[in-house]
Amino acid sequence: MKHTLAAIVTVLALGAMFMVYQSDNEVHKLSEITKMIEKSQIKVNLGNATPITQEKQSIDKGSSADIDKEQNQKKKELDEKLQALKNKAGNMAAFEVSSLYKQKCSSCHGVNGEGIIGPKLIGQDAQTVYQDLIDFKSGKRKNYVMYGLLSKMDKEQLKTLSDEIGLFAQKLKEYQEQ
């Protein structure tokens, strides 16, 4: 009987400790949320509002400066990303490519071989590209995506594709001179 009672008391004590732990976590979460709300508040001067006490103003200036700094940093990052997108959009479809290239290559290597998730192809010579394609198709170079794309293509198609890719640099140069 004593052992059963001791076991029940132990289980109850553990349950109470767990409940205290959970409530501690909730209090911590609430304090974090409160801090986030305080940081995100925007101060608006309506002109007719009563002046804020000096102590509150000094705290607000510090946090306001931090918020302004953070907002400027985010704006700068967004501007850089926008500029990168504009530059990339300016290079889209700079010259014509074959439907075979569009179908097999452009989703990874870009419309004009500029590279997206696959490596950049502009500037590579046709023979190197052809050898790489042969190696991917044969399995000598391991890349399951490339193998899947090239497995049903014959050597003539690979040669045509590699010759086209070998001319990308020249086509881009001609396009930029226009």
Side-chain angles (χ1 to χ4, degrees):
M1 182 72 166
K2 288 181 184 179
H3 296 293
T4 306
L5 188 57
I8 291 172
V9 170
T10 303
V11 169
L12 288 175
L14 288 173
M17 288 172 37
F18 180 71
M19 294 295 285
V20 169
Y21 174 75
Q22 280 186 322
S23 64
D24 255 2
N25 280 341
E26 293 300 318
V27 169
H28 180 70
K29 286 179 188 177
L30 181 62
S31 69
E32 290 297 316
I33 291 170
T34 305
K35 287 178 186 177
M36 289 172 55
I37 290 171
E38 287 175 0
K39 283 184 178 180
S40 66
Q41 286 179 346
I42 299 173
K43 290 159 189 50
V44 178
N45 186 2
L46 299 176
N48 60 356
T50 59
I52 302 172
T53 64
Q54 183 64 29
E55 180 181 314
K56 177 83 171 152
Q57 282 181 345
S58 65
I59 292 171
D60 290 343
K61 285 181 183 177
S63 63
S64 178
D66 292 341
I67 291 170
D68 288 343
K69 184 179 178 181
E70 186 177 329
Q71 286 176 344
N72 287 336
Q73 179 66 25
K74 286 182 180 179
K75 185 179 185 306
K76 183 179 176 184
E77 289 173 9
L78 286 173
D79 288 343
E80 289 172 357
K81 288 178 182 179
L82 180 62
Q83 186 60 43
L85 284 173
K86 285 180 181 177
N87 291 341
K88 192 160 193 95
N91 293 333
M92 294 300 231
F95 51 84
E96 275 300 309
V97 295
S98 69
S99 60
L100 180 63
Y101 178 83
K102 286 178 188 175
Q103 178 187 20
K104 299 285 186 180
C105 311
S106 65
S107 60
C108 294
H109 296 284
V111 177
N112 300 131
E114 68 275 4
I116 299 176
I117 59 173
K120 181 178 175 180
L121 298 177
I122 288 182
Q124 293 191 19
D125 67 284
Q127 185 58 36
T128 303
V129 173
Y130 180 70
Q131 188 58 51
D132 288 346
L133 293 176
I134 295 292
D135 290 346
F136 282 125
K137 183 177 178 176
S138 70
K140 185 176 180 182
R141 285 184 67 179
K142 300 288 183 203
N143 184 319
Y144 296 110
V145 174
M146 290 293 292
Y147 177 78
L149 290 168
L150 303 174
S151 63
K152 296 192 190 291
M153 293 176 65
D154 59 30
K155 285 188 176 189
E156 184 178 313
Q157 288 175 312
L158 295 178
K159 183 69 173 151
T160 302
L161 197 55
S162 63
D163 288 343
E164 178 182 7
I165 293 169
L167 295 174
F168 278 4
Q170 178 185 343
K171 286 181 176 183
L172 182 61
K173 185 178 178 182
E174 289 171 1
Y175 173 80
Q176 290 172 341
E177 289 175 353
Q178 292 179 350

